[in-house]
């Protein structure tokens, strides 16, 4: 599955952060021949959060799906489903360096956190339903970022 998402990520790298049709993540940038579904078996974490919109900066309730390769937001969702990327309102791929941190001071909202895409400095702000939920999102995203930056030789022994 990593190959599928890697190929898809390569196809849509330029679309993230661009304005697309209302309610979509620029579906014209997705290769119509590539698989376009996030399967439930590939989901690391999912759930409802409030997200700041990219253009108007309004706070909107979104269903967020975290995979090994991306963060995708949707207007609708439920645990255990598959998701079509063409229905995503935002796609944030891990192909560029990211940072994740608490953002309560920046937003003035409790349980806020943000993901920063370092290639263009773009911030994506989210508000979780509770402090525990915020910590779980930050931890899950942070672990995926670390996993992607650690490259180990399979023959190398780890002694820690």
């Amino acid at each position: 599955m990593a190959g599928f998402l890697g190929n898809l990520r390569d196809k849509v790298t330029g679309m993230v952060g661009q304005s697309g049709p209302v309610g979509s993540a620029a579906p014209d940038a997705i290769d119509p021949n590539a698989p376009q579904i996030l399967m439930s078996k590939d989901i690391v974490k999912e759930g409802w959060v409030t997200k700041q919109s990219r253009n108007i900066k309004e706070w909107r309730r979104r269903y967020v799906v975290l995979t090994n390769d991306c963060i995708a937001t949707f207007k609708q969702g439920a645990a255990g489903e598959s998701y079509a990327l063409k229905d995503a309102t935002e796609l944030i791929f891990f192909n560029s360096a990211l940072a994740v941190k608490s953002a309560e001071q920046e937003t003035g909202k409790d349980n806020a956190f943000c993901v920063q895409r370092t290639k263009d400095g773009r911030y994506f702000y989210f508000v979780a339903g509770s402090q525990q939920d915020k910590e779980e999102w930050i931890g899950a995203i942070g672990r995926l970022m670390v996993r992607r930056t650690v490259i180990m030789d399979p023959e190398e022994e780890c002694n820690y």
Side-chain angles (χ1 to χ4, degrees):
M1 191 58 167
F4 145 68
L5 289 175
N7 290 338
L8 182 61
R9 179 188 62 234
D10 294 341
K11 304 277 187 217
V12 296
T13 296
M15 75 177 232
V16 179
Q18 296 176 0
S19 296
V22 175
S24 71
D28 55 326
I30 298 174
D31 181 351
N33 299 317
Q36 300 177 32
I37 303 292
L38 294 177
M39 304 301 292
S40 59
K41 66 181 178 63
D42 299 313
I43 296 172
V44 174
K45 181 168 175 55
E46 61 186 314
W48 288 102
V49 300
T50 303
K51 182 189 170 298
Q52 188 180 55
S53 65
R54 68 178 160 230
N55 295 322
I56 303 173
K57 306 298 182 198
E58 290 181 349
W59 291 94
R60 298 178 178 152
R61 186 172 156 93
R62 292 290 184 249
Y63 198 78
V64 178
V65 175
L66 175 65
T67 71
N68 287 325
D69 290 315
C70 72
I71 301 168
T73 65
F74 299 90
K75 290 182 179 179
Q76 300 176 14
E81 290 187 7
S82 298
Y83 299 93
L85 291 181
K86 69 177 181 62
D87 296 332
T89 59
E90 189 87 65
L91 290 169
I92 308 165
F93 286 97
F94 292 152
N95 61 336
S96 63
L98 297 177
V100 62
K101 66 176 185 169
S102 181
E104 293 168 341
Q105 288 186 329
E106 293 96 319
T107 63
K109 296 184 176 287
D110 291 339
N111 308 318
F113 64 98
C114 75
V115 174
Q116 181 187 15
R117 188 172 53 208
T118 55
K119 75 175 184 179
D120 60 4
R122 169 89 196 279
Y123 288 89
F124 302 87
Y125 290 99
F126 302 88
V127 177
S130 68
Q131 180 70 21
Q132 179 180 346
D133 196 29
K134 177 187 100 169
E135 291 172 7
E136 289 173 3
W137 279 108
I138 290 173
I141 295 166
R143 282 188 297 278
L144 289 174
M145 290 168 25
V146 169
R147 177 185 282 165
R148 295 182 65 79
T149 60
V150 175
I151 299 173
M152 296 181 65
D153 180 353
E155 303 296 318
E156 187 178 319
E157 183 178 325
C158 293
N159 296 319
Y160 49 115

